[in-house]
Amino acid sequence: MKLSMLRSGFPFVALGLILLGPLASHVDAQPSELLRHTEQVTWDSGMHHGQGKIGDDGVESAGLVASDIISVSGVPWMQLKFGDSRIGNKSRIEISSLLDGSTQVLDAKSFKEWAGQSAYFNGDAVEIRFYVGPQDRRARVQVDAVVVGEWGRPAEKSICGPSDNRVDSTDSRVGRIDPIGCTGWMINNGKLLTAGHCLAGSGNTTLSINPPKSTSGGTVQFPPADRQYSIVQSSFDFVNGGVGNDWGIFAVNNNSVTGLQPMAAHGSFAFRQDLGPSTIRITGFGVDSGSDNQSNQTHTGANTGSSGTTMRYNADTQGGNSGSPVIDEATNQAVGIHTHGGCSSSGGNNSGTSFFKADLWSAVNAGGGGSGPGDPSCGAGTLDLNTLSFTSYSNQNSTNDASVEDGGDTMHLTGNTWVRSTQSFNITPNTVIDFKFASGNQGEIHAIGFDDNDTLNDNPRHFQFWGTQNWTGTGKIGLTPSYNGSGSYQSYSVPVGQSYTGNMRLVFTNDKDSGTLNNEGYFACVDIYETGGGGGGCDLEESFESGAGGWTGSGNCATGSFVVGTPDGVSNGGVQTQVSGAQDGSNALFSASNSGGAGTIDIDGGECIATSPVYNVTANSDVSAWYFHGQRDAGDDSAGDFFHLEISVNGGAWTSLQSYGDVTVNAAWTQATTTASAGDSVRLRIRAADGSSAGDLIEAGIDNISICEQ
């Protein structure tokens, strides 16, 4: 089935299926999850460096490096699920349906927004094309699964009376939430509304505007990619409390093709509080027979006695109408959110939540959606701040109002807030930190930097670029230009290694000691990297996402042997002995999870060892590995309790990259680095031991190992 292959793409292989949906239905709630399952596949573009060209005008154009057909024979629609992929700043993925030509373009930013998946495509085959920019390194795309539709439709109804009176609608202010099978819609302040129970579970990932009619057998179809919007999972604000107390608000990313929000492209509803409209219209994507199934339909009915927080009406609905706007037919304005069916062939009423529900009314009118600086537009290489843990810095963090936003791209601080990462970074003479900053309210000190302790003014560490205070302490390093105060993002690049070096933790500063603490700072697109290299590739990038990668276990420990999985986070006696989560991706190699609590499967009864395979080095390279070690009890077994991270070069003796003896250590992901020369062969080894003394808690792990050309 392969169309073409440039350089090192690898064709896909179907491996099996996992059944998905529909969900068990609520008693009266009305979602209608799309019938689908997952086919396990593999496809790999291979790793590519610096394709395309830079024109005389300085404009970069990406070059095509891999192209292929991915198909699952006979299915009505499909969606790609991506594996371990790296999209460069000027690289892109193009995916096109072979049935109708719908094409989605994913660059580094939109790839992250779509959270490891593509839009939906009609038909049983797509063409995938990967273009790599001339200065992008280690670019790669992997597909490891395809979600595919199943033929047919669910069978749910809530029709008021003996017949279904819904008719086709072209109202583009409403969309289908896929694959949960609900309805969402836009209001004129930019927010999107649906039923709370549509946001309470999974399957609420995509908003499809104006999808086409279903097949004659009722199998849903999808609109082109320029009418599909990825839903921001962190944006959900909802209550799933039953009739009259069921509402949801959410946001979507800009469309990956047009760059627009749905309100700008498709319109929106005005809305008001009103229980009295005589005629109610419900528009949405309820199930039906034939090609009408889960397509845009509408019907009007009488207001049957709305009161308080509940709208009641006899407009026809079906499963899939959950979240539809409750519309006053006379004014075309929304007065509530449809949530529950209650009609039958003998009558009754359907119902929704009115805007007199106080928390709903407050939420739809709350600020946001324009109060901040907007999309920071981060590129590849941006540090995902969600992978770090943060705690208070020094004695300065009196407000402690810090939140990670924009899917991990942004640290937002308000009030008198100073925070630092618990993880350390190896700052070398060549280390640079790039970031963007925005603020609409100035504080006394806005700064960024690194520190190896929690003492503020013992050494110059913090690069201050804005603030009203004339900070004269030793901790300050002046950074120019000063922020312009516009409220929009301004970019900075700081050669940190020219000021200091060492193992340091990242520090964000938003200082104001008195008065109204409305000062804020948005630190976005943080990228920490090394300069001075020739820009080659990597001989190794191992994050254990596909298994142990050739690492082997040994030693004589009774429990705690190294496994691949997700560390579950353990603390006991005030000491963190195991980290929570991998350093990169989902998996790490570590001393087993502790599902039964602290001490259930920690390292006990001897030494646990994990040893890498031999890695061949093709160019002078930097070797990097992230590790953690946690130990609660100190001083009771000086010979038997230890941790060592070691390297062997060209079969020689093991030498230490990092070691701890019988001391208390709080576990945190920490980077260890060294160098290797062209032609070397290297191995890594991690050793951790619990001696004969009873009661010790000891854990260890390793992740995100790389050998990359300098």
Side-chain angles (χ1 to χ4, degrees), residues 95-97 100-106 114 118-122 206-209 222-230 253-260 266:
I95 310 162
S96 298
S97 165
D100 58 22
S102 170
T103 299
Q104 183 182 34
V105 180
L106 295 172
W114 276 85
S118 73
Y120 293 90
F121 296 92
N122 297 322
T206 306
L207 180 70
S208 297
I209 303 294
F222 290 88
D226 62 5
R227 299 204 303 267
Q228 296 185 47
Y229 298 82
S230 61
N253 292 301
N254 292 344
N255 184 269
S256 61
V257 178
T258 67
L260 298 176
H266 309 292

Side-chain angles (χ1 to χ4, degrees), residues 455-462 471-478 500:
T455 303
L456 175 59
N457 280 314
D458 60 341
N459 287 294
R461 293 286 187 259
H462 309 277
W471 183 15
T472 58
T474 303
K476 173 188 173 181
I477 302 173
Y500 49 82

Side-chain angles (χ1 to χ4, degrees), residues 195 216 236 301 349 410 433 446 540 570 574 583 599 635 649 669 706:
S216 60
F236 294 176
N349 65 261
T410 305
I433 182 170
H446 298 272
L540 172 70
V570 175
Q583 198 281 326
V649 180
W669 284 116
S706 64

Side-chain angles (χ1 to χ4, degrees), residues 539-540 551 611-618 621-624 646-652 654 657 674-685 705-707:
D539 291 313
L540 172 70
W551 282 66
T611 306
S612 78
V614 174
Y615 300 127
N616 294 316
V617 182
T618 60
S621 296
D622 294 314
V623 180
S624 170
E646 301 168 321
I647 188 170
S648 169
V649 180
N650 298 324
W654 292 100
L657 295 178
T674 186
T675 60
S677 300
D680 282 347
S681 60
V682 302
R683 300 182 78 189
L684 296 170
R685 183 171 72 177
I705 308 161
S706 64
I707 302 175

Side-chain angles (χ1 to χ4, degrees), residues 34-56:
L34 306 188
L35 300 176
R36 69 201 191 277
H37 66 267
T38 295
E39 295 276 352
Q40 299 292 342
V41 304
T42 58
W43 183 83
D44 191 340
S45 70
M47 187 176 294
H48 301 276
H49 313 286
Q51 301 300 309
K53 62 181 180 179
I54 304 176
D56 294 337

Side-chain angles (χ1 to χ4, degrees), residues 167-172 174 210-211 283-285 294-298:
V167 297
D168 290 347
S169 170
T170 58
D171 194 336
S172 61
V174 298
N210 277 338
T283 302
F285 295 85
Q294 288 177 280
S295 64
N296 196 354
Q297 296 189 92
T298 189

